[in-house]
Amino acid sequence: MTSADLLSEAVARLYASDPDVFTERRGVLVAQARAAGETSAAKSIAGLRKPTRSAWIVNQLVRADPGVPSRLAALGDELRAAEGSLAGAKIRELSQARRQLIDALVRQALKMAGLHSPPAALREEVTATFAAALADPQVAEQMAAGTLVRAERRAGFGYGAVAAPVPVPSPAGGPPVPAERAAEAA
């Protein structure tokens, strides 16, 4: 078995496993790779990060239904196109489809994980991760691998989403000035 095969098999086994046994299994797989003389694979396996519970839940759904990331990405593409053309009615229609798809995926993922009454924070992280995959094709690609290690978040939607302006201290020591006003004054 090659180093790449060992790593690939370890990734599949670890990210399909419950996070509670991740560290123990990773140690066993590292030891097996070392015993096989594959020190490079052992080092790579040792570097694999344990997923949070919410990331694990999303990974399990994606492993069971590999079409999830492409459905999210396709709807995201439609929303970006509607946003770009300023098609208000289409944006409203697709926004409703977005809510329905994300809600359905969250329910499906939590049910699959055996969580009928999950903590609100866990539900929010799973929801935010699906929303991030819909808004960002790169997150959808990462999700497709089924190896997320943490919940993902994106503010806003699409390419028009902008980070909130950071207040800049006033030169006279007064109250902070919004960044765009500070730039205008310069």
Side-chain angles (χ1 to χ4, degrees), residues 87-125:
K90 187 68 172 173
I91 291 171
R92 284 188 293 280
E93 174 189 323
L94 292 171
S95 292
Q96 182 171 350
R98 172 186 182 267
R99 282 188 298 279
Q100 291 170 345
L101 176 60
I102 290 173
D103 288 347
L105 291 174
V106 169
R107 280 192 307 276
Q108 184 180 357
L110 293 173
K111 181 180 177 184
M112 204 174 176
L115 299 171
H116 303 291
S117 296
L122 180 65
R123 177 182 288 277
E124 170 54 34
E125 286 181 352

Side-chain angles (χ1 to χ4, degrees), residues 54-63 126 129-130 143 148:
S54 58
W56 177 78
I57 288 169
V58 171
N59 289 340
Q60 297 317 298
L61 179 61
V62 169
R63 288 174 179 280
V126 172
T129 301
F130 287 129
M143 181 185 286
L148 292 175

